Amino acid sequence: MKIPSSILTMLAGIFLTLASLWYGQNHGLLPVAASAEAELVDGLFNTMMTISVGLFLLVEGALIFAAIRFRRRKGDEGDGEHIEGNIPLEILWTAIPAVIVFGISVYSFDVYTRLGGLTPMVEGTEQTIEVAYAGDDASLPMLGVPQKAAQLASNLGIGSSPELQGRAPDVSVNVMAVQYAFVFTYPDSGVVSGELHVPVNNSVRLNLQAQDVLHAFWLPELRIKQDVIPGTETELAFTPTRVGTYPVICAELCGPYHGAMKTQLIVQSAEDYGAWVQSQVAQSQGSDAIASLPTSDRSDTAYLETLATPHDLKVDTAALSHLSHHHALASVAADTF
Ligand SMILES: [Cu+2]
């Protein structure tokens, strides 16, 4: 008995659909989702994964089927049949991807907007603000940034959903990015920390600033990332939904030790968070004073230590002085030439 090919095609279609839907939900490619925002991003990712798997199975399936079904048989020396194109088929395989791409772009734009990524253009004349390179020898050429763009970035940051606009977050933290660390300041309590602690299920807003060069603040488990720009403030808002410790990573190549520019986000219960703030209050007042000193008032070692201590890098002071000793020798050597 021969099964009609229309039935076989339908069965293949059903299998393909079920396989794509299953894999789209079970790919296991993403880390745990630890924020309310992660759901939106994962929904988009899973949809794209479902479509991609469907297309992959369709194209590869057709390829393998054709390679077997239409292979050269023994003794067959003839040419293949000449086929001159097929207009309806070409329209179909142009239209389907066009609809898919359009659908995904609308969906992703919706997610981006719901995360607060885009806001209507801010009124006002376009001016140029100057962003200086924040070094001691700040004589490098200045970059002009259109002020509109700068306002846009600071008015509504990623994760800052339009519904939350203008509403005070439960926790607000100032983030200063420097080569090669993030320094977190809690304006309410004055705590300064190298790790970001937040209470679970509370809305958090980060006000991000860079002291030197471009950095990017990335929380993979929360599915959010924001540029950190010298001379302008950007924002990142989220609601952590899962107690735990998650990596904070700089996602912008910011210098030779960029790869080491990472710390931790610690999502705690409200009680644990309160206890942590209490334990930090006394400690932070001292380090705050040191951190606010101008760079030139400190030796290289002291400067690195202030970065390392809150960051808990376990930097060996002896190794540091060894390094600066080498550095001094190198300068001496350079001077002699
Ligand atoms: Cu960086």
Side-chain angles (χ1 to χ4, degrees):
M1 194 193 90
K2 199 170 182 299
I3 306 166
S5 65
S6 59
I7 302 269
L8 285 177
T9 311
M10 196 185 75
L11 287 176
I14 291 171
F15 167 76
L16 194 143
T17 309
L18 292 178
S20 325
L21 286 173
W22 179 83
Y23 192 74
Q25 301 298 320
N26 296 282
H27 50 73
L29 293 172
L30 295 170
V32 292
S35 72
E37 292 72 23
E39 247 171 72
L40 291 170
V41 177
D42 288 6
L44 174 64
F45 185 85
N46 292 349
T47 304
M48 291 198 289
M49 188 49 104
T50 304
I51 295 169
S52 311
V53 170
L55 283 175
F56 175 80
L57 291 178
L58 181 70
V59 172
E60 295 304 308
L63 186 71
I64 291 167
F65 171 78
I68 294 169
R69 178 81 168 73
F70 304 112
R71 69 189 184 280
R72 191 180 70 86
R73 310 296 163 119
K74 222 176 181 182
D76 180 1
E77 300 293 328
D79 280 343
E81 205 181 318
H82 179 75
I83 299 169
E84 185 60 59
N86 186 328
I87 301 284
L89 190 60
E90 283 173 23
I91 291 174
L92 187 74
W93 73 40
T94 308
I96 291 175
V99 168
I100 292 173
V101 169
F102 185 72
I104 289 176
S105 65
V106 170
Y107 183 6
S108 56
F109 193 77
D110 177 58
V111 170
Y112 190 57
T113 309
R114 282 207 268 167
L115 288 180
L118 206 77
T119 180
M121 284 302 274
V122 179
E123 284 172 47
T125 52
E126 195 152 332
Q127 298 168 15
T128 300
I129 55 160
E130 296 189 309
V131 180
Y133 180 81
D136 285 341
D137 50 342
S139 51
L140 287 170
M142 298 202 173
L143 293 169
V145 174
Q147 192 167 26
K148 263 190 185 176
Q151 278 181 352
L152 208 61
S154 58
N155 273 7
L156 201 57
I158 298 290
S160 184
S161 69
E163 301 94 73
L164 287 175
Q165 274 306 295
R167 236 198 286 166
D170 298 327
V171 180
S172 178
V173 186
N174 296 331
V175 183
M176 179 59 82
V178 294
Q179 286 170 317
Y180 299 96
F182 293 109
V183 180
F184 303 98
T185 309
Y186 294 71
D188 295 343
S189 55
V191 167
V192 180
S193 170
E195 287 176 341
L196 178 57
H197 287 245
V198 294
V200 71
N201 295 326
N202 280 253
S203 62
V204 179
R205 186 178 301 161
L206 305 180
N207 304 304
L208 305 141
Q209 275 183 292
Q211 203 178 65
D212 36 37
V213 298
L214 287 172
H215 300 274
F217 190 88
W218 182 31
L219 298 166
E221 278 75 4
L222 282 76
R223 312 284 192 268
I224 47 174
K225 180 159 72 176
Q226 180 64 287
D227 288 332
V228 193
I229 305 163
T232 190
E233 202 172 85
T234 52
E235 271 182 24
L236 203 53
F238 57 91
T239 304
T241 51
R242 207 169 175 282
V243 170
T245 300
Y246 310 104
V248 176
I249 301 170
C250 177
E252 183 85 52
L253 180 59
C254 59
Y257 302 107
H258 157 71
M261 188 165 168
K262 43 182 84 157
T263 180
Q264 290 178 324
L265 162 70
I266 295 149
V267 180
Q268 297 171 300
S269 66
E271 303 83 69
D272 288 355
Y273 171 74
W276 176 79
V277 171
Q278 288 306 311
S279 74
Q280 293 293 305
V281 165
Q283 206 183 318
S284 69
Q285 275 146 5
S287 64
D288 198 19
I290 300 167
S292 60
L293 281 176
T295 318
S296 53
D297 291 359
R298 284 173 284 168
S299 68
D300 283 353
T301 316
Y303 179 67
L304 283 170
E305 272 176 331
T306 60
L307 289 179
T309 313
H311 205 47
D312 216 6
L313 280 176
K314 311 267 186 296
V315 174
D316 180 7
T317 329
L320 275 181
S321 55
H322 182 70
L323 276 176
S324 37
H325 180 61
H326 265 276
H327 183 251
L329 282 181
S331 326
V332 170
D335 286 347
T336 55
F337 284 105

